[in-house]
Amino acid sequence: MRMLTKIPKQFYFFLAVLFVLNLIQSNFTQLIFDEAYYWYYSQNMAWGYFDHPPMVALMIKISSYFFDGELGVRLVSCLLSALNIVLLWLMIDNPKKNQYIVHFFVLVFSMTLLNAYGFFTLPDTPLLFFTSCFLLTYKHFIKNESLPLAILLGIFMAALMYSKYHAVLVIFFVLLSNIKLITKPYAWLAVLIALCCYAPHFYWLYDNDFVSIKYHLYERPNGAYSFEKYTLGFFVNLVAIFGLTFPFIYKALLKTKNTNLFNKALIYLTYGVILFFFISSFNRRIQTQWIIIICIPMVVIAFNYMLNNKQALTWIFRLGLINVILIAYLRIGLVHQPLLFNFYYESHGNIEWAAAIKKEAGNRPVVFENSYRNAPMYSFYTNGSPTFSLNNYMYRKNQYSIDNSEDNVRGKDVAYISKYLNDFSFSYQREDGGLYKGIFIPNFQSFRKVECIVEEQELTLTTEKSIELSVYNPYEQNISLQDLKFGITYMDAYKTPIQTLGITPTANTPNTTQLQAKDTTKFKFSLPTTKNENIGYFRVVISENNLLFGLNGKPIPIN
């Protein structure tokens, strides 16, 4: 509290202006698709979700207690963003900083994603905030190891991990910068507290067959390496997060020395994250937000460098002002689409298309095929209308694959939205060219949680022997085999579907006509002949009631 009273009034004035600006932006900007998806998380609070830990859902749930609409999704993000700026300021010790408050705010506001996460509610928002909490606490801890600081460190490490799995990089590289921490009892206490706080999520992962870890490590689709898309794209992202100020920002990093343990932690964290994702860029495309963690140490590093280097102070301020003007223009464009030269962003037109589909669907639940993005967006802008994302073999699993949303539409008359429809009863053309096509299906039936399990791993396309297949029905009802069709989806080495062929598996028990509820049925099948080459995997898939095949089996490698 004493530290806060030492902050000049001018600082709080700029902070208040930025906070009010973010509130206004939050209220008048329609949700983006990821925010709608995380809003859907918050409708059923849990200790974990398919793609991420639960912090983002908790933020939205808290926001919803105070406001409706978009602000009911983003309020906590605005608060955390403002508090994050205070924490960044407190990490800077230079006595000259009070003379350059305007320069500090220009530096912070000019960082593109740090700016965007001032109001968007995404997992990176709490990740940034708790990174600052962790670093500021660590700064005090290395000066005075104590029980209260060890407890805080543990809590903030857990909060980091509850925000996003990338948080492990923050903890690891700070530890690497001060390896002597492994000899400190209070450091071990902090780790123990963090593990205890994180235990509910560990249990959730265990209870859900580590679905999040398996997806991120093994099942996430990828593509063939491309220097332009992967490695060069990574370097473009390093420039994009700082905009025009990037030469001086990175010069500040290069010029900063390990003068103390805290500076060393900032440097290790920045270089560590950059190196980690540089190496990763040879395997996959690096998304811009994955490297946003470096913005926190870089604010401290760059501002300290500015205070001691007149040229850097001048140029970062000038270029930062240009960044600020461009970002302000883009932020206005998030609300009013014409200002972006007719560029159509995902925060535009959602109210309109949701209303158009609602007009056709009436009170029917709406099933979106292959769109965990459209389903929650429609629900949000139609006051919680029931929706479901039906995922077929050309898509990927998501939160709708593991929750009970399918139960809410089974047996109902639904409006079914799919780009794969040839004949449709209604449609809506988005301004960006996207076309929603829909039909009405009475007594809708889908069983996408039926699991197809192949134990054998050493398989080839020329395998002649029968392959054992276990089909588990997790539902409370029997499923008639007459309503099901089995198939094999062949995929390339990057798990991209190439071809799907039908198969007729033979039940081990004669005269089997149903998949019994909560039971496993044994079958045998043979791989169908394909003329396609470069096949790396296959997946057993099921179509129920003539829907497109689902994602019932895991990718099995073919040698």
Side-chain angles (χ1 to χ4, degrees):
M1 184 62 68
R2 187 167 52 192
M3 291 187 296
L4 296 178
T5 58
K6 291 182 179 180
I7 296 177
K9 292 182 180 179
Q10 185 187 26
F11 180 94
Y12 286 118
F13 169 78
F14 284 110
L15 186 68
V17 170
L18 189 56
F19 177 64
V20 171
L21 175 63
N22 285 336
L23 286 177
I24 294 171
Q25 182 88 54
S26 297
N27 187 64
F28 291 101
T29 304
Q30 293 181 38
L31 296 190
I32 62 175
F33 285 110
D34 280 353
E35 287 183 296
Y37 185 44
Y38 303 136
W39 168 82
Y40 175 68
Y41 280 10
S42 73
Q43 302 308 291
N44 184 18
M45 291 299 297
W47 284 105
Y49 298 91
F50 183 90
D51 314 76
H52 293 291
M55 186 65 75
V56 67
L58 178 62
M59 291 168 56
I60 295 172
K61 177 60 75 173
I62 294 172
S63 298
S64 69
Y65 289 136
F66 296 92
F67 294 99
D68 297 321
E70 290 87 355
L71 198 54
V73 172
R74 296 171 173 150
L75 174 64
V76 172
S77 291
C78 296
L79 290 170
L80 293 190
S81 174
L83 291 173
N84 194 25
I85 294 174
V86 176
L87 296 174
L88 288 167
W89 182 259
L90 294 176
M91 279 188 250
I92 299 164
D93 287 332
N94 196 305
K96 295 189 293 184
K97 68 178 184 179
N98 289 344
Q99 303 171 37
Y100 298 98
I101 293 173
V102 175
H103 294 72
F104 173 79
F105 274 91
V106 168
L107 173 66
V108 172
F109 198 85
S110 70
M111 294 186 179
T112 53
L113 288 187
L114 199 59
N115 192 306
Y117 293 137
F119 57 95
F120 283 142
T121 297
L122 303 165
D124 304 276
T125 308
L127 176 68
L128 291 169
F129 173 71
F130 287 114
T131 296
S132 292
C133 290
F134 173 70
L135 289 174
L136 183 59
T137 305
Y138 172 73
K139 179 181 179 181
H140 291 286
F141 180 80
I142 54 182
K143 292 179 181 178
N144 177 31
E145 296 176 25
S146 64
L147 179 61
L149 289 175
I151 294 172
L152 277 178
L153 269 182
I155 292 172
F156 289 141
M157 282 192 284
L160 272 168
M161 292 301 299
Y162 272 120
S163 300
K164 197 172 183 179
Y165 295 122
H166 288 161
V168 71
L169 298 176
V170 178
I171 299 168
F172 174 76
F173 288 118
V174 169
L175 171 62
L176 191 64
S177 73
N178 184 9
I179 204 67
K180 289 183 179 179
L181 285 172
I182 63 175
T183 66
K184 307 291 186 181
Y186 279 130
W188 281 106
L189 176 62
V191 171
L192 179 62
I193 290 170
L195 291 173
C196 289
C197 291
Y198 206 58
H201 184 65
F202 281 134
Y203 181 78
W204 181 90
L205 286 171
Y206 169 78
D207 196 43
N208 286 271
D209 195 29
F210 297 95
V211 61
S212 303
I213 306 301
K214 289 180 178 179
Y215 170 71
H216 287 297
L217 292 183
Y218 308 115
E219 297 181 13
R220 199 181 188 107
N222 203 0
Y225 175 73
S226 164
F227 175 78
E228 291 80 9
K229 292 181 180 179
Y230 286 27
T231 306
L232 182 60
F234 163 73
F235 286 110
V236 171
N237 288 338
L238 286 178
V239 172
I241 60 175
F242 297 121
L244 297 175
T245 62
F246 82 92
F248 294 95
I249 298 289
Y250 287 113
K251 183 179 180 181
L253 175 63
L254 293 171
K255 293 291 186 180
T256 300
K257 306 298 181 184
N258 296 340
T259 54
N260 55 61
L261 283 175
F262 184 64
N263 263 3
K264 189 177 179 182
L266 299 178
I267 293 169
Y268 268 58
L269 175 54
T270 306
Y271 279 120
V273 170
I274 291 174
L275 180 61
F276 177 85
F277 285 113
F278 170 68
I279 294 172
S280 299
S281 74
F282 291 97
N283 176 257
R284 64 182 67 249
R285 186 175 67 85
I286 304 302
Q287 297 180 23
T288 311
Q289 67 269 25
W290 291 358
I291 57 176
I292 194 179
I293 304 172
I294 69 171
C295 288
I296 299 302
M298 288 293 266
V299 166
V300 181
I301 289 171
F303 193 62
N304 274 322
Y305 182 69
M306 290 167 63
L307 295 176
N308 294 310
N309 188 295
K310 190 70 175 178
Q311 183 187 44
L313 182 72
T314 301
W315 279 104
I316 290 179
F317 183 71
R318 289 174 178 174
L319 295 172
L321 281 176
I322 299 175
N323 277 354
V324 167
I325 293 170
L326 292 173
I327 290 171
Y329 178 76
L330 292 173
R331 286 180 59 153
I332 294 172
L334 292 175
V335 181
H336 298 288
Q337 183 255 334
L339 291 178
L340 288 176
F341 305 105
N342 292 323
F343 176 77
Y344 198 86
Y345 188 60
E346 59 186 84
S347 62
H348 303 137
N350 296 308
I351 294 175
E352 290 78 9
W353 71 254
I357 293 177
K358 178 68 174 177
K359 183 178 179 180
E360 299 287 348
N363 293 325
R364 299 178 183 89
V366 179
V367 176
F368 291 86
E369 184 160 29
N370 283 6
S371 188
Y372 69 90
R373 292 156 59 89
N374 286 326
M377 187 72 82
Y378 175 82
S379 184
F380 181 84
Y381 282 115
T382 55
N383 297 316
S385 299
T387 59
F388 176 57
S389 174
L390 184 89
N391 309 307
N392 69 37
Y393 70 98
M394 291 177 281
Y395 203 49
R396 74 164 181 92
K397 292 186 177 182
N398 47 65
Q399 183 61 25
Y400 289 92
S401 305
I402 65 173
D403 63 17
N404 64 354
S405 54
E406 186 184 39
D407 298 336
N408 297 330
V409 299
R410 188 183 300 108
K412 306 284 182 63
D413 295 345
V414 306
Y416 188 83
I417 313 293
S418 174
K419 66 180 181 180
Y420 305 104
L421 294 173
N422 294 319
D423 298 319
F424 46 92
S425 304
F426 62 91
S427 65
Y428 178 77
Q429 183 80 49
R430 287 177 58 122
E431 290 184 39
D432 63 350
L435 178 64
Y436 295 102
K437 299 183 291 185
I439 59 173
F440 300 107
I441 300 179
N443 189 26
F444 178 77
Q445 298 289 329
S446 71
F447 301 98
R448 288 293 148 113
K449 291 182 182 178
V450 170
E451 295 180 49
C452 295
I453 305 164
V454 175
E455 298 294 346
E456 297 181 61
Q457 298 295 313
E458 299 294 329
L459 296 172
T460 66
L461 281 175
T462 57
T463 298
E464 295 183 358
K465 66 176 183 178
S466 295
I467 302 171
E468 296 286 340
L469 171 65
S470 300
V471 180
Y472 175 64
N473 173 13
Y475 297 96
E476 300 287 348
Q477 64 187 84
N478 297 340
I479 303 173
S480 173
L481 289 174
Q482 288 186 341
D483 297 329
L484 306 181
K485 295 177 182 177
F486 288 80
I488 295 295
T489 293
Y490 287 119
M491 297 172 281
D492 64 18
Y494 304 101
K495 300 176 184 173
T496 301
I498 298 174
Q499 183 182 25
T500 299
L501 299 170
I503 61 171
T504 305
T506 303
N508 289 4
T509 304
N511 301 319
T512 300
T513 59
Q514 292 184 322
L515 299 178
Q516 298 296 316
K518 298 290 183 179
D519 199 5
T520 299
T521 305
K522 300 287 186 177
F523 294 87
K524 285 184 172 62
F525 73 97
S526 298
L527 288 174
T529 303
T530 177
K531 294 181 180 179
N532 284 285
E533 299 179 353
N534 302 318
I535 291 175
Y537 296 85
F538 77 89
R539 185 201 302 269
V540 182
V541 293
I542 295 176
S543 164
E544 63 274 48
N545 302 297
N546 294 316
L547 298 170
L548 287 176
F549 288 102
L551 291 162
N552 307 91
K554 297 177 182 178
I556 306 297
I558 295 179
N559 299 320

Coordinates of all heavy atoms in Angstrom, one line a residue, residues 420-476:
Y420 N -21.8 -28.0 -45.7 CA -21.7 -29.2 -46.6 C -23.1 -29.5 -47.2 O -23.2 -30.5 -47.9 CB -21.2 -30.4 -45.8 CG -19.9 -30.1 -45.1 CD1 -19.8 -29.9 -43.7 CD2 -18.7 -30.1 -45.9 CE1 -18.6 -29.6 -43.1 CE2 -17.5 -29.9 -45.2 CZ -17.4 -29.6 -43.9 OH -16.2 -29.4 -43.3
L421 N -24.1 -28.8 -46.9 CA -25.4 -29.0 -47.4 C -25.5 -28.6 -48.9 O -25.1 -27.6 -49.3 CB -26.5 -28.3 -46.6 CG -26.7 -28.7 -45.1 CD1 -27.6 -27.7 -44.4 CD2 -27.2 -30.1 -45.0
N422 N -26.1 -29.5 -49.7 CA -26.4 -29.2 -51.1 C -27.8 -28.6 -51.2 O -28.0 -27.6 -51.9 CB -26.2 -30.4 -51.9 CG -24.8 -30.9 -52.0 OD1 -23.9 -30.1 -52.1 ND2 -24.6 -32.3 -51.9
D423 N -28.7 -29.2 -50.6 CA -30.1 -28.7 -50.5 C -30.3 -28.1 -49.2 O -30.0 -28.7 -48.1 CB -31.1 -29.8 -50.8 CG -30.9 -30.4 -52.2 OD1 -30.7 -29.7 -53.1 OD2 -31.0 -31.7 -52.3
F424 N -30.9 -26.9 -49.1 CA -31.1 -26.3 -47.8 C -32.5 -25.5 -47.8 O -32.9 -25.1 -48.9 CB -30.0 -25.4 -47.5 CG -29.5 -24.4 -48.6 CD1 -30.0 -23.2 -48.7 CD2 -28.5 -24.9 -49.5 CE1 -29.6 -22.3 -49.7 CE2 -28.1 -24.0 -50.5 CZ -28.6 -22.8 -50.6
S425 N -33.0 -25.3 -46.6 CA -34.3 -24.7 -46.5 C -34.2 -23.2 -46.3 O -35.1 -22.4 -46.6 CB -35.0 -25.2 -45.3 OG -35.1 -26.7 -45.4
F426 N -33.1 -22.7 -45.8 CA -32.8 -21.3 -45.6 C -31.3 -21.0 -45.6 O -30.5 -21.9 -45.5 CB -33.5 -20.8 -44.3 CG -32.9 -21.4 -43.0 CD1 -31.8 -20.8 -42.4 CD2 -33.4 -22.6 -42.5 CE1 -31.3 -21.4 -41.2 CE2 -32.9 -23.2 -41.4 CZ -31.8 -22.6 -40.7
S427 N -31.0 -19.7 -45.8 CA -29.6 -19.4 -45.8 C -29.4 -17.9 -45.4 O -30.4 -17.1 -45.4 CB -29.0 -19.6 -47.2 OG -29.6 -18.7 -48.2
Y428 N -28.2 -17.5 -45.1 CA -27.8 -16.1 -44.8 C -26.4 -15.8 -45.3 O -25.5 -16.6 -44.9 CB -27.9 -15.9 -43.3 CG -27.6 -14.4 -42.9 CD1 -28.5 -13.4 -43.1 CD2 -26.3 -14.1 -42.4 CE1 -28.2 -12.1 -42.8 CE2 -26.0 -12.8 -42.1 CZ -26.9 -11.8 -42.3 OH -26.6 -10.5 -42.0
Q429 N -26.3 -14.8 -46.1 CA -25.0 -14.4 -46.6 C -24.4 -13.3 -45.8 O -24.9 -12.3 -45.6 CB -25.2 -13.9 -48.0 CG -23.9 -13.5 -48.8 CD -23.2 -14.7 -49.3 OE1 -23.8 -15.6 -50.0 NE2 -21.9 -14.8 -49.1
R430 N -23.2 -13.6 -45.2 CA -22.5 -12.6 -44.4 C -21.8 -11.7 -45.4 O -21.5 -12.0 -46.5 CB -21.4 -13.3 -43.5 CG -22.0 -14.0 -42.3 CD -20.9 -14.7 -41.6 NE -19.8 -13.8 -41.1 CZ -19.5 -13.6 -39.8 NH1 -20.1 -14.3 -38.9 NH2 -18.6 -12.7 -39.5
E431 N -21.4 -10.5 -44.8 CA -20.8 -9.5 -45.7 C -19.4 -9.9 -46.0 O -18.8 -9.4 -47.0 CB -20.7 -8.2 -44.9 CG -22.1 -7.5 -44.8 CD -21.9 -6.1 -44.1 OE1 -21.0 -5.4 -44.4 OE2 -22.8 -5.8 -43.3
D432 N -18.7 -10.8 -45.3 CA -17.4 -11.3 -45.6 C -17.4 -12.4 -46.6 O -16.4 -13.0 -46.9 CB -16.7 -11.7 -44.3 CG -17.3 -12.9 -43.6 OD1 -18.4 -13.3 -44.0 OD2 -16.7 -13.5 -42.7
G433 N -18.6 -12.8 -47.1 CA -18.7 -13.8 -48.1 C -19.1 -15.2 -47.5 O -19.5 -16.1 -48.3
G434 N -19.1 -15.3 -46.2 CA -19.5 -16.6 -45.6 C -21.0 -16.8 -45.8 O -21.8 -15.9 -45.7
L435 N -21.3 -18.1 -46.0 CA -22.7 -18.4 -46.3 C -23.2 -19.5 -45.2 O -22.6 -20.5 -45.1 CB -22.9 -19.0 -47.7 CG -24.3 -19.5 -48.1 CD1 -25.3 -18.3 -48.1 CD2 -24.3 -20.2 -49.4
Y436 N -24.3 -19.1 -44.5 CA -24.9 -20.1 -43.6 C -26.0 -20.8 -44.3 O -26.9 -20.1 -44.8 CB -25.4 -19.4 -42.3 CG -24.4 -18.8 -41.5 CD1 -24.1 -17.4 -41.5 CD2 -23.6 -19.5 -40.6 CE1 -23.2 -16.8 -40.7 CE2 -22.6 -19.0 -39.8 CZ -22.4 -17.6 -39.9 OH -21.4 -17.0 -39.1
K437 N -26.0 -22.1 -44.4 CA -27.0 -22.9 -45.0 C -27.7 -23.8 -44.0 O -27.0 -24.5 -43.2 CB -26.5 -23.7 -46.2 CG -25.8 -22.9 -47.3 CD -25.3 -23.7 -48.5 CE -24.2 -24.6 -48.1 NZ -23.6 -25.3 -49.3
G438 N -29.0 -23.9 -44.0 CA -29.7 -24.6 -42.9 C -30.8 -25.4 -43.4 O -31.5 -25.1 -44.4
I439 N -31.1 -26.5 -42.7 CA -32.3 -27.3 -42.9 C -32.9 -27.6 -41.5 O -32.3 -27.3 -40.5 CB -32.0 -28.7 -43.6 CG1 -30.9 -29.5 -42.8 CG2 -31.5 -28.4 -45.0 CD1 -30.7 -30.9 -43.3
F440 N -34.1 -28.1 -41.5 CA -34.8 -28.5 -40.3 C -34.8 -30.0 -40.2 O -35.1 -30.7 -41.1 CB -36.2 -28.0 -40.2 CG -36.2 -26.5 -40.3 CD1 -36.7 -25.8 -41.5 CD2 -35.8 -25.7 -39.3 CE1 -36.7 -24.5 -41.6 CE2 -35.9 -24.3 -39.3 CZ -36.3 -23.7 -40.5
I441 N -34.3 -30.5 -39.0 CA -34.3 -32.0 -38.8 C -35.2 -32.3 -37.6 O -34.9 -31.9 -36.5 CB -32.8 -32.5 -38.5 CG1 -31.9 -32.2 -39.7 CG2 -32.8 -34.0 -38.2 CD1 -30.5 -32.6 -39.5
P442 N -36.2 -33.1 -37.8 CA -37.0 -33.5 -36.6 C -36.4 -34.7 -35.9 O -35.6 -35.5 -36.5 CB -38.3 -34.0 -37.3 CG -37.9 -34.4 -38.7 CD -36.8 -33.5 -39.1
N443 N -36.6 -34.7 -34.6 CA -36.1 -35.8 -33.8 C -34.6 -36.1 -34.0 O -34.1 -37.2 -34.4 CB -36.9 -37.1 -34.0 CG -36.5 -38.2 -33.0 OD1 -36.0 -37.9 -31.9 ND2 -36.7 -39.4 -33.4
F444 N -33.8 -35.0 -33.9 CA -32.3 -35.1 -34.2 C -31.7 -36.1 -33.3 O -31.9 -36.1 -32.1 CB -31.7 -33.7 -34.0 CG -30.2 -33.7 -34.2 CD1 -29.7 -33.7 -35.5 CD2 -29.3 -33.7 -33.2 CE1 -28.4 -33.7 -35.7 CE2 -28.0 -33.6 -33.4 CZ -27.5 -33.6 -34.7
Q445 N -30.8 -37.0 -33.9 CA -30.1 -38.0 -33.1 C -28.6 -38.0 -33.5 O -28.3 -38.1 -34.7 CB -30.7 -39.4 -33.4 CG -32.1 -39.6 -33.0 CD -32.3 -39.6 -31.5 OE1 -31.4 -40.0 -30.7 NE2 -33.5 -39.1 -31.0
S446 N -27.8 -37.8 -32.6 CA -26.3 -38.0 -32.8 C -25.7 -38.6 -31.6 O -26.2 -38.4 -30.5 CB -25.7 -36.6 -33.1 OG -25.6 -35.8 -32.0
F447 N -24.6 -39.3 -31.8 CA -23.9 -40.1 -30.7 C -22.4 -39.9 -30.9 O -21.7 -40.9 -31.1 CB -24.3 -41.5 -30.7 CG -25.8 -41.8 -30.6 CD1 -26.6 -42.0 -31.7 CD2 -26.4 -41.7 -29.3 CE1 -28.0 -42.2 -31.5 CE2 -27.8 -41.9 -29.1 CZ -28.6 -42.1 -30.2
R448 N -22.0 -38.7 -30.9 CA -20.6 -38.4 -31.2 C -19.6 -38.8 -30.1 O -18.4 -38.7 -30.4 CB -20.4 -36.9 -31.5 CG -21.1 -36.5 -32.9 CD -20.3 -37.2 -34.0 NE -21.1 -37.5 -35.1 CZ -21.1 -36.9 -36.3 NH1 -20.2 -35.9 -36.5 NH2 -21.8 -37.3 -37.3
K449 N -20.1 -39.2 -29.0 CA -19.1 -39.6 -27.9 C -18.8 -41.2 -28.0 O -18.1 -41.6 -27.2 CB -19.7 -39.3 -26.6 CG -19.7 -37.8 -26.3 CD -20.2 -37.5 -24.9 CE -20.3 -36.0 -24.6 NZ -20.8 -35.7 -23.3
V450 N -19.4 -41.9 -28.9 CA -19.1 -43.3 -29.1 C -17.6 -43.4 -29.5 O -17.2 -42.7 -30.4 CB -20.0 -43.9 -30.2 CG1 -19.5 -45.3 -30.5 CG2 -21.4 -44.0 -29.7
E451 N -16.9 -44.2 -28.7 CA -15.4 -44.3 -28.9 C -15.1 -45.6 -29.7 O -15.6 -46.7 -29.4 CB -14.7 -44.3 -27.6 CG -14.9 -43.1 -26.8 CD -14.1 -43.2 -25.5 OE1 -12.9 -43.6 -25.5 OE2 -14.7 -42.8 -24.4
C452 N -14.2 -45.4 -30.7 CA -13.7 -46.6 -31.4 C -12.2 -46.7 -31.0 O -11.4 -45.9 -31.3 CB -13.8 -46.3 -32.9 SG -15.5 -46.2 -33.5
I453 N -11.9 -47.9 -30.4 CA -10.5 -48.1 -29.9 C -9.8 -49.2 -30.6 O -10.3 -50.4 -30.7 CB -10.6 -48.4 -28.4 CG1 -11.4 -47.3 -27.6 CG2 -9.2 -48.6 -27.8 CD1 -11.9 -47.7 -26.3
V454 N -8.7 -48.9 -31.2 CA -7.8 -49.9 -31.8 C -6.6 -50.0 -31.0 O -5.8 -49.1 -30.9 CB -7.5 -49.5 -33.3 CG1 -6.5 -50.5 -33.9 CG2 -8.8 -49.4 -34.1
E455 N -6.3 -51.2 -30.5 CA -5.2 -51.4 -29.6 C -3.9 -51.6 -30.4 O -2.8 -51.2 -30.0 CB -5.4 -52.6 -28.7 CG -6.6 -52.5 -27.7 CD -6.4 -51.3 -26.7 OE1 -5.2 -50.9 -26.5 OE2 -7.4 -50.9 -26.1
E456 N -4.0 -52.3 -31.6 CA -2.8 -52.6 -32.3 C -2.2 -51.3 -32.9 O -2.8 -50.5 -33.4 CB -3.1 -53.6 -33.5 CG -3.6 -54.9 -33.0 CD -3.9 -55.8 -34.2 OE1 -3.0 -56.1 -34.9 OE2 -5.1 -56.2 -34.3
Q457 N -0.8 -51.2 -32.8 CA -0.1 -50.1 -33.2 C 0.8 -50.3 -34.4 O 1.1 -49.4 -35.2 CB 0.7 -49.5 -32.1 CG -0.1 -49.0 -30.9 CD -1.1 -47.9 -31.2 OE1 -0.7 -46.9 -31.8 NE2 -2.3 -48.0 -30.8
E458 N 1.2 -51.6 -34.6 CA 2.1 -51.9 -35.7 C 1.3 -52.4 -36.9 O 1.1 -53.5 -37.1 CB 3.1 -53.0 -35.3 CG 4.0 -52.6 -34.1 CD 4.9 -51.5 -34.5 OE1 5.3 -51.4 -35.7 OE2 5.3 -50.7 -33.6
L459 N 0.8 -51.4 -37.7 CA -0.1 -51.7 -38.8 C 0.5 -51.1 -40.1 O 1.1 -50.1 -40.1 CB -1.5 -51.2 -38.6 CG -2.2 -51.7 -37.4 CD1 -3.5 -51.0 -37.1 CD2 -2.6 -53.2 -37.6
T460 N 0.2 -51.8 -41.2 CA 0.5 -51.3 -42.6 C -0.7 -51.4 -43.4 O -1.7 -52.0 -43.1 CB 1.7 -52.2 -43.2 OG1 1.1 -53.5 -43.4 CG2 2.9 -52.3 -42.3
L461 N -0.6 -50.7 -44.6 CA -1.8 -50.7 -45.5 C -2.0 -52.0 -46.1 O -3.1 -52.3 -46.6 CB -1.5 -49.6 -46.6 CG -1.8 -48.2 -46.3 CD1 -1.4 -47.3 -47.4 CD2 -3.2 -47.9 -45.9
T462 N -1.0 -52.9 -46.1 CA -1.1 -54.2 -46.7 C -1.5 -55.3 -45.7 O -1.4 -56.5 -46.0 CB 0.2 -54.6 -47.5 OG1 1.3 -54.5 -46.5 CG2 0.4 -53.6 -48.6
T463 N -1.8 -54.8 -44.5 CA -2.1 -55.8 -43.4 C -3.4 -56.6 -43.9 O -4.4 -56.1 -44.2 CB -2.5 -55.1 -42.1 OG1 -1.3 -54.4 -41.7 CG2 -2.9 -56.0 -41.0
E464 N -3.2 -57.9 -43.8 CA -4.3 -58.8 -44.3 C -5.1 -59.4 -43.1 O -6.2 -59.8 -43.2 CB -3.7 -60.0 -45.1 CG -3.1 -59.5 -46.4 CD -2.6 -60.7 -47.3 OE1 -2.8 -61.9 -46.8 OE2 -2.1 -60.5 -48.4
K465 N -4.4 -59.4 -41.9 CA -5.2 -60.0 -40.8 C -6.2 -59.0 -40.3 O -6.2 -57.8 -40.5 CB -4.2 -60.2 -39.6 CG -3.5 -59.0 -39.1 CD -2.6 -59.3 -37.9 CE -2.1 -58.0 -37.3 NZ -1.2 -58.3 -36.1
S466 N -7.2 -59.6 -39.6 CA -8.3 -58.8 -39.1 C -7.8 -57.9 -37.9 O -7.0 -58.4 -37.1 CB -9.5 -59.7 -38.6 OG -10.0 -60.3 -39.8
I467 N -8.3 -56.7 -37.8 CA -7.9 -55.8 -36.7 C -9.0 -55.8 -35.7 O -10.2 -55.7 -36.0 CB -7.6 -54.4 -37.3 CG1 -6.6 -54.5 -38.4 CG2 -7.2 -53.5 -36.2 CD1 -6.4 -53.2 -39.2
E468 N -8.6 -55.9 -34.4 CA -9.5 -55.8 -33.3 C -10.0 -54.4 -33.1 O -9.2 -53.4 -33.1 CB -8.9 -56.3 -32.0 CG -8.5 -57.8 -32.1 CD -9.7 -58.7 -32.0 OE1 -10.8 -58.3 -31.5 OE2 -9.6 -59.9 -32.4
L469 N -11.3 -54.2 -33.0 CA -11.9 -52.9 -32.7 C -12.9 -53.0 -31.5 O -13.8 -53.8 -31.5 CB -12.7 -52.5 -34.0 CG -13.6 -51.2 -33.8 CD1 -12.7 -50.0 -33.5 CD2 -14.5 -51.0 -35.0
S470 N -12.7 -52.2 -30.5 CA -13.6 -52.1 -29.4 C -14.4 -50.8 -29.5 O -13.8 -49.7 -29.7 CB -12.8 -52.0 -28.1 OG -12.0 -53.2 -27.9
V471 N -15.7 -50.9 -29.5 CA -16.6 -49.7 -29.6 C -17.3 -49.5 -28.3 O -18.1 -50.4 -27.8 CB -17.6 -49.9 -30.7 CG1 -18.5 -48.7 -30.8 CG2 -16.9 -50.1 -32.1
Y472 N -17.0 -48.4 -27.6 CA -17.6 -48.1 -26.3 C -18.8 -47.1 -26.5 O -18.6 -46.1 -27.0 CB -16.6 -47.6 -25.4 CG -17.1 -47.1 -24.0 CD1 -17.7 -48.1 -23.1 CD2 -17.1 -45.8 -23.6 CE1 -18.2 -47.7 -21.9 CE2 -17.7 -45.4 -22.4 CZ -18.2 -46.4 -21.6 OH -18.8 -46.0 -20.4
N473 N -19.9 -47.5 -25.9 CA -21.1 -46.7 -25.9 C -21.2 -46.0 -24.5 O -21.6 -46.7 -23.6 CB -22.3 -47.5 -26.2 CG -23.6 -46.7 -26.1 OD1 -23.6 -45.5 -26.0 ND2 -24.8 -47.4 -26.1
P474 N -20.9 -44.7 -24.4 CA -21.0 -44.1 -23.1 C -22.4 -43.6 -22.7 O -22.5 -43.1 -21.6 CB -20.0 -42.9 -23.3 CG -20.2 -42.5 -24.7 CD -20.5 -43.8 -25.4
Y475 N -23.3 -43.8 -23.5 CA -24.7 -43.2 -23.3 C -25.5 -44.1 -22.4 O -25.2 -45.3 -22.2 CB -25.4 -43.0 -24.6 CG -24.7 -41.9 -25.5 CD1 -23.8 -42.4 -26.5 CD2 -24.9 -40.6 -25.3 CE1 -23.1 -41.4 -27.3 CE2 -24.2 -39.7 -26.1 CZ -23.3 -40.1 -27.0 OH -22.7 -39.1 -27.8
E476 N -26.6 -43.6 -21.9 CA -27.5 -44.3 -21.0 C -28.5 -45.1 -21.9 O -29.4 -45.8 -21.3 CB -28.3 -43.3 -20.2 CG -27.4 -42.5 -19.2 CD -26.9 -43.3 -18.1 OE1 -27.3 -44.5 -17.9 OE2 -26.0 -42.8 -17.4

